[in-house]
Amino acid sequence: MAIKIVIPSYKRAGVNPSIDNLPDDIVSKYVTLAVRDEEYNEYVEAHPGVNIHNLGKGIDGIVETRQRINEQFNGKIMVIDDDNTFFHVRHGAHKKDPTNKYIGRGQRLEFSEEYVEMLEYCSELLDTFEYGTMRNLNFLRDPRWDPYTLNSICYWVHFFNLDTFDYVDCNFRNGPKSGLCEDLYLPTDWFDKGNDFFTLVKYNVGETTGQNQMEGGCNTSDRGIRYKESLEQLHEMFPQYCKLKESKKNTETYGFEVPTLTIRLNTKKRKNDKATLPL
């Protein structure tokens, strides 16, 4: 198995829940923190025993960070693009009625052996797919999603086989100019160009409490404005898949009207239609 866990981090040296949530031997063997040049020494000092990768100078946001990761790493990588995540291993967790079983969150991964099994499974998927994502099971799903489904947009965790993925053509820098929603743009663009990607459900991801209140990361004073603009720009780029809807939650979070965006990737509407890989 040759797969790396890459975690971009900004202004959170010494405070990185994604590191804290992983067993020490997994961190030392598989994890690399990807940071900006001006913070490199600070991260090296704050995280002894952790691999720290210097992405270079001139980074002004998460879009440039994500693109440089794809340009500077190679092979198979698992990118945790939010440095406040933890993992759940899935199992059938709920029965709506005696004949209809739904998939829900399972037990949280705890031991190194479990993480190794997850990484081995993901590595095998990347022998078939060039790109993939991991589901957050906030809502129960049909068991047919197990162990993975195709072409479902997800946040937080992304997989690349950089030996085969075309990161020049499918480029984070070509997304919304407001500089957010890159994790929505890339899979949509990849799909629209005729490619399928896996959405992992057997292993699924959760978020630590209080993540949005932490300093650093993508939290800036104008985040709400930029987020709204990025959603609108993404809708303009891919109207065949995207629909803007009112969001009470977003509006309450930012203090002014901010919509949400639903994305439904339909193979009949994309530009190119390569052969769909079987489940």
Side-chain angles (χ1 to χ4, degrees):
M1 174 188 64
I3 188 169
K4 309 177 190 74
I5 300 174
V6 181
I7 306 175
S9 190
Y10 177 56
K11 290 186 176 180
R12 287 175 178 164
V15 185
N16 196 305
S18 289
I19 293 290
D20 297 338
N21 288 327
L22 294 170
D24 290 343
D25 55 339
I26 294 296
V27 173
S28 62
K29 186 174 182 179
Y30 297 104
V31 172
T32 297
L33 287 178
V35 303
R36 303 184 187 189
D37 178 77
E38 63 269 24
E39 294 189 314
Y40 176 75
N41 291 334
E42 184 180 0
Y43 271 87
V44 169
E45 183 177 347
H47 296 281
V50 179
N51 295 314
I52 310 294
H53 178 83
N54 189 335
L55 292 168
K57 299 180 179 180
I59 297 176
D60 60 358
I62 187 61
V63 169
E64 184 64 20
T65 296
R66 295 293 304 279
Q67 183 60 25
R68 290 198 191 187
I69 287 173
N70 281 2
E71 292 171 350
Q72 295 178 19
F73 284 80
N74 54 52
K76 300 173 182 178
I77 63 172
M78 172 182 179
V79 181
I80 304 176
D81 69 354
D82 192 320
D83 52 8
N84 291 282
T85 56
F86 58 83
F87 297 97
H88 298 281
V89 60
R90 185 214 62 76
H91 68 83
H94 177 76
K95 286 186 177 180
K96 187 176 180 180
D97 62 59
T99 61
N100 197 347
K101 190 173 184 179
Y102 285 80
I103 294 173
R105 284 180 176 166
Q107 298 299 315
R108 179 172 168 176
L109 294 184
E110 182 177 359
F111 302 106
S112 297
E113 293 81 5
E114 295 174 305
Y115 283 95
V116 170
E117 288 176 3
M118 178 189 72
L119 292 172
E120 289 176 344
Y121 183 79
C122 296
S123 180
E124 291 175 2
L125 283 178
L126 288 171
D127 289 333
T128 301
F129 297 89
E130 298 165 78
Y131 170 67
T133 63
M134 180 180 282
R135 192 77 220 175
N136 180 337
L137 288 182
N138 284 336
F139 304 99
L140 298 173
R141 298 291 177 179
D142 189 288
R144 287 174 295 181
W145 284 50
D146 185 29
Y148 65 87
T149 187
L150 295 179
N151 306 325
S152 179
I153 299 289
C154 298
Y155 303 96
W156 297 336
V157 177
H158 301 260
F159 301 89
F160 297 92
N161 186 338
L162 294 175
D163 292 337
T164 56
F165 181 84
D166 190 347
Y167 55 80
V168 175
D169 182 50
C170 196
N171 192 316
F172 282 106
R173 297 188 188 106
N174 296 333
K177 299 306 178 185
S178 294
L180 293 175
C181 298
E182 81 291 340
D183 50 357
L184 301 179
Y185 164 75
L186 194 85
T188 306
D189 184 54
W190 177 251
F191 173 85
D192 193 49
K193 290 174 177 173
N195 306 289
D196 292 315
F197 60 91
F198 69 84
T199 303
L200 188 58
V201 176
K202 178 178 181 178
Y203 297 100
N204 52 89
V205 66
E207 185 181 36
T208 53
T209 302
Q211 178 270 333
N212 289 323
Q213 286 72 49
M214 286 186 66
E215 294 296 323
C218 295
N219 290 330
T220 59
S221 59
D222 64 345
R223 177 177 172 80
I225 295 173
R226 293 171 59 223
Y227 181 55
K228 179 180 180 179
E229 291 175 348
S230 294
L231 290 174
E232 293 169 345
Q233 291 161 9
L234 194 58
H235 177 260
E236 292 175 1
M237 297 172 77
F238 300 106
Q240 68 273 40
Y241 310 124
C242 301
K243 183 177 181 180
L244 287 168
K245 298 173 65 175
E246 291 184 4
S247 172
K248 182 179 179 181
K249 179 180 179 181
N250 284 348
T251 299
E252 290 176 349
T253 297
Y254 295 107
F256 60 94
E257 188 173 330
V258 177
T260 189
L261 189 73
T262 60
I263 303 177
R264 298 288 183 268
L265 300 180
N266 187 332
T267 55
K268 295 180 180 179
K269 296 181 179 181
R270 61 183 170 186
K271 294 178 183 178
N272 303 299
D273 195 12
K274 300 175 183 178
T276 300
L277 293 165
L279 285 171

